[in-house]
Amino acid sequence: MKLFYFPGACSLGIHVLLEEIGASYEAVLLDLRSGAHKAPEYVALNPKSKVPALVRDNGRVLTEWPAIAFYLANLHPQAGLLPTDVDAAADAVSAVEYIVSTMHMQAFARMYRPERFAVSEADFDSVRAQGKEMFLAGLEMMGQILQGREFLAGDRFSIADAALLFVTFWAARGELPLPASVAAHFARMKQRASVQTVFAREGLAL
Ligand SMILES: N[C@@H](CCC(=O)N[C@@H](CS)C(=O)NCC(=O)O)C(=O)O
């Protein structure tokens, strides 16, 4: 398998899942800053021009964080990345969906890409502020789920924790306040070998 990623982007969570399953894969840095995701060779591979993209062993390209996480968890069930209990599995999918579609694509995108939500530049600051409010509300919600628990779903690390990791990383990098239970989750994540390996490879400070 081959993962296209950019250091510290949402692909971080998929990178960690690949380490967790222990399968062999190649991690390819796609430099979003220089526009490598818009280069014709990459667009031919992934017309969405985004990371993460996973090239499967059969050559087919898979995009969208939840789909890639679902694929990896089911391809390597021994890694236990999706709870076997149906209630806990549904909780994991629910958390992933919220983190990706609301916290990332709605809240965080408003903070850093306001032009995608407002036509007039005069509105950008209010869009950013709205995004920050939504993002902080999302962290609070994740914090509530984590009350008295180590993981977002079930009793072990799952795809939901890998999703929370990348938004928490963004929050910490942006010096946003983390609810205590989210900060504790982040600290636990950073103790995992998979996370340490990926942070080192992506050149991120732990
Ligand atoms: N819905 C996609 C979103 C992927 C996404 O937005 N990736 C960002 C990095 S975190 C990206 O590639 N941005 C480049 C751009 O939008 O130009 C997913 O969940 O995988």
Side-chain angles (χ1 to χ4, degrees):
M1 287 183 287
K2 195 190 278 190
L3 170 71
F4 286 89
Y5 78 98
F6 180 71
C10 58
S11 45
L12 174 67
I14 298 296
H15 206 165
V16 166
L17 292 176
L18 279 161
E19 281 297 321
E20 290 278 341
I21 61 179
S24 72
Y25 69 96
E26 184 189 350
V28 181
L29 197 165
L30 190 76
D31 189 359
L32 299 183
R33 289 213 179 101
S34 68
H37 56 311
K38 303 270 170 68
E41 317 83 79
Y42 188 70
V43 177
L45 185 105
N46 176 11
K48 293 173 182 167
S49 297
K50 308 255 187 211
V51 293
L54 184 79
V55 183
R56 294 172 273 197
D57 285 341
N58 62 12
R60 295 187 60 216
V61 179
L62 187 60
T63 59
E64 301 301 327
W65 206 104
I68 300 172
F70 172 88
Y71 175 74
L72 293 176
N74 283 287
L75 195 64
H76 294 273
Q78 81 290 346
L81 295 175
L82 198 56
T84 45
D85 172 72
V86 69
D87 261 345
D91 288 343
V93 173
S94 173
V96 165
E97 175 59 18
Y98 182 75
I99 291 165
V100 171
S101 67
T102 300
M103 292 184 72
H104 176 192
M105 302 310 296
Q106 291 290 337
F108 195 77
R110 275 178 171 75
M111 290 164 67
Y112 291 96
R113 305 303 295 263
E115 71 281 3
R116 292 184 178 170
F117 297 89
V119 177
S120 162
E121 211 173 323
D123 295 325
F124 287 1
D125 278 346
S126 55
V127 169
R128 285 190 193 98
Q130 185 191 41
K132 184 173 174 185
E133 197 178 311
M134 292 167 73
F135 193 78
L136 292 176
L139 286 174
E140 279 303 322
M141 228 172 289
M142 294 301 109
Q144 289 297 325
I145 297 173
L146 282 169
Q147 288 300 327
R149 316 171 49 100
E150 270 196 52
F151 303 103
L152 269 181
D155 55 7
R156 57 185 291 179
F157 178 90
S158 77
I159 57 173
D161 299 293
L164 183 58
L165 172 70
F166 78 76
V167 283
T168 311
F169 171 75
W170 290 347
R173 191 173 54 182
E175 296 180 358
L176 295 177
L178 292 179
S181 57
V182 176
H185 179 269
F186 191 37
R188 281 194 297 278
M189 291 299 111
K190 290 196 283 192
Q191 283 168 5
R192 297 184 78 82
S194 60
V195 174
Q196 292 175 1
T197 300
V198 168
F199 270 55
R201 186 175 301 133
E202 297 200 2
L204 309 172
L206 265 179

